[in-house]
Structures are given as C-alpha cells and as structure tokens.
Amino acid sequence: MTVLILGGASEAAALARACAAAGLADILISLAGRTAAPLALPLPVRVGGFGGAEGLARFIREQHITALVDATHPFAARISAHAVQAVRETGIPALALQRAGWAREAKDLWQEVEGLEAAVAALGPAPRRVFLTIGRQGLPAFAAAPQHHYLVRTIEPVGDALPVPHLTELNARGPFDAEAEAALMVRERVDVLVTKHSGGASTYGKIEAARRLGLPVVMIARPVASDLPATVHVDEALAFVCAHMSARASLPKGTELA
Ligand code: NAP
C-alpha cells in the first residue's frame, strides 16, 4: 500500500514533511537524481528515471503503488506527461500538486517568451549584464549569445554548460529574499533578469527585487500543465494521500476506489 510522490520540487518536500508529521509511512518519493546532494527528506527516497512512461507503469505494478502524486517542478513536463500515461495504463488514482504562478504587477517589466531560444533572442545583440536563473540544464542555449556577461546561479556547478567569455557563477539553493536579491543585483550591476515562470514563494525575491530596481525580466512561459486533477495546496495533497491509504486499508481486498 504505497503512494508514490514524484518529487524534485519544494512542493514535494513540503508534502513529504506533512505526510511524515501525520504519521503516514508507506510513501515513496522519487527523484530524477539531478542534484548530487538533494535536500534530506523524512520518507524513503528512490533515485533515477523509470525508463519512460512504460517504465513508470511497470514500476507502479511491480511495487504495488496504489496512488500517485505528481509534485514535480512546473517545467518538468516530460515526467508529468509520463505520469499521465502511466496512470491511464495502470488505473491508479493520481493528483498533481502544482505550484501557483506569479501574478504580474503594474510595475513589473516582464517580457514573456516561449522557451529558451526566445529568451536568448530577447536579450538582443548589444552586450548586457544578465542574471540567469534558469537552472543548469537550460544554460547551453545561451552560448549562442556570448557577447553578454552572465551571472549564473545554479545549485550544481555550471561546469562546461555555458562556454562564454564573461561568466560569474554562484552556487546556491533557495529560498532567496528580496533584500538580498536586490543587493546582489546592484552589486553585480545586473541590467536584465532571465527566469523561468516557476512561481512559488521561495524564488519570488528576484521578481520583487527586479520590480523595485526597475529592471526588465525575460520571463520564460510555463509548459502546459498535465491534465491530472490538480491542487496548489499541500493540505489537499495530504488529504488525497490519506484517503488513498486509509480507504484502501479498510476496504475488502480487491475493491477499487473510484
Ligand atoms: P523532465 O524533462 O520532465 O524529465 C526528464 C526525465 O527525467 C524523465 O523522462 C524521467 O526519466 C526523469 N525524471 C524526471 N523527474 C523524475 C522523478 N521525480 N523521478 C524519477 N525520474 C524522473 O524533468 P527535468 O526538467 O529534467 O527535471 C528533472 C527533475 O528536476 C524533476 O523531478 C523536477 O521536479 C526537478 N526540477 C526541474 C526543474 C526544471 O526547471 N525543469 C527545476 C527544479 C527542479 P525516465 O523517462 O527515464 O523515467
């Protein structure tokens, strides 16, 4: 009777903490394995891909997974699509724990773009001091615009992901508050911020700081969310997990939940 939480985002960690605090034990968190030292979680964790949607469906059957929560990052579209397909194939109940997007305010200077290449193009031909906060995986796209100075913040070291002549690297994990973000932007003479529209509170500081400083933001739009039933509330996801544990535990063997 194990619930599988697809993790890798702060919402998954929050749900894991809530489940542990509620005394729910039969839960497995799955991480892709992108970070060498992921945050410690209070529940069992498995690491690594499943081998596509078919692999995930096989894992669900073999490990007797009874329900799934997709609590991955809003930009992790592939695993979310695989979750939809695997849930369809196996018939288990599922929920997406999504992250609320940021609301644009009057003083925000956002240029919304679709994808990394459009973000590179939005920077234009003249050299700029760019604060790049899009994670490590998307960095190679910016090698196409080596005229800019990049202040890159990632959890993992950049390594050779962005071969450009002017790069300052910061390795840090959020949350980041607006005061510190504004001080960083002033100190580094940033003149444009590039970010994914990840949403949520823990990285909102940079958005607030850019607004205060009157800096433009190249905002990469989210991919389309999966069509699983969804919530943005950890409490509702916790109730889902509880329901699919206790309800199954008290039902006669072989009874299926709606
Ligand atoms: P993705 O493009 O949606 O997924 C790529 C592949 O990684 C999947 O096909 C799957 O491999 C594996 N994978 C992804 N999440 C997994 C999980 N929770 N458990 C097991 N395997 C997983 O994902 P991504 O954008 O590379 O992100 C990877 C992870 O980092 C995600 O879990 C996400 O929550 C987290 N993350 C992503 C971002 C971002 O901006 N994309 C930001 C912060 C955190 P198989 O096909 O072999 O199963």
Side-chain angles (χ1 to χ4, degrees):
M1 200 145 321
T2 303
V3 173
L4 179 65
I5 299 176
L6 298 176
S10 53
E11 290 68 23
L15 178 58
R17 286 192 294 272
C19 289
L24 302 175
D26 292 328
I27 294 169
L28 182 62
I29 317 238
S30 176
L31 301 178
R34 298 282 188 273
T35 48
L39 279 181
L41 295 168
L43 291 169
V45 173
R46 65 154 307 277
V47 180
F50 298 98
E54 303 75 22
L56 178 55
R58 198 176 322 116
F59 183 89
I60 288 170
R61 289 196 191 95
E62 287 174 1
Q63 301 298 317
H64 308 291
I65 301 297
T66 51
L68 177 146
V69 179
D70 176 6
T72 56
H73 189 271
F75 278 79
R78 209 169 333 150
I79 186 70
S80 293
H82 293 172
V84 170
Q85 206 177 315
V87 158
R88 204 175 289 144
E89 261 181 65
T90 56
I92 62 167
L95 180 76
L97 174 55
Q98 293 174 345
R99 186 181 294 179
W102 296 316
R104 186 181 188 144
E105 296 196 4
K107 289 191 174 162
D108 283 327
L109 303 173
W110 294 2
Q111 180 177 357
E112 294 182 73
V113 297
E114 302 280 338
L116 290 165
E117 282 69 27
V120 175
L123 293 175
R128 300 171 85 180
R129 294 185 67 88
V130 181
F131 186 18
L132 200 47
T133 62
I134 52 149
R136 190 178 181 282
Q137 286 189 81
L139 291 178
F142 289 83
Q147 71 275 28
H148 305 300
H149 178 280
Y150 293 100
L151 171 64
V152 177
R153 183 169 62 202
T154 49
I155 295 176
E156 295 294 311
V158 169
D160 56 4
L162 182 51
V164 291
H166 313 292
L167 183 145
T168 305
E169 177 174 354
L170 287 176
N171 298 129
R173 194 195 295 269
F176 305 104
D177 71 63
E179 297 300 329
E181 293 290 61
L184 174 67
M185 290 179 192
V186 170
R187 191 170 66 243
E188 293 292 335
R189 293 176 288 120
V190 167
D191 50 31
V192 58
L193 167 68
V194 179
T195 179
K196 291 175 171 173
H197 189 156
S198 300
S202 86
T203 57
Y204 188 65
K206 62 190 171 187
I207 305 299
E208 213 176 311
R211 182 187 309 129
R212 278 192 216 162
L213 297 173
L215 291 182
V217 177
V218 175
M219 181 69 73
I220 303 174
R222 288 178 169 203
V224 177
S226 88
D227 56 5
L228 292 180
T231 180
V232 294
H233 302 293
V234 171
D235 286 0
E236 287 180 14
L238 176 64
F240 171 88
V241 173
C242 282
H244 288 286
M245 281 186 158
S246 52
R248 276 178 184 267
S250 59
L251 287 171
K253 207 174 167 211
T255 308
E256 283 301 315
L257 285 173

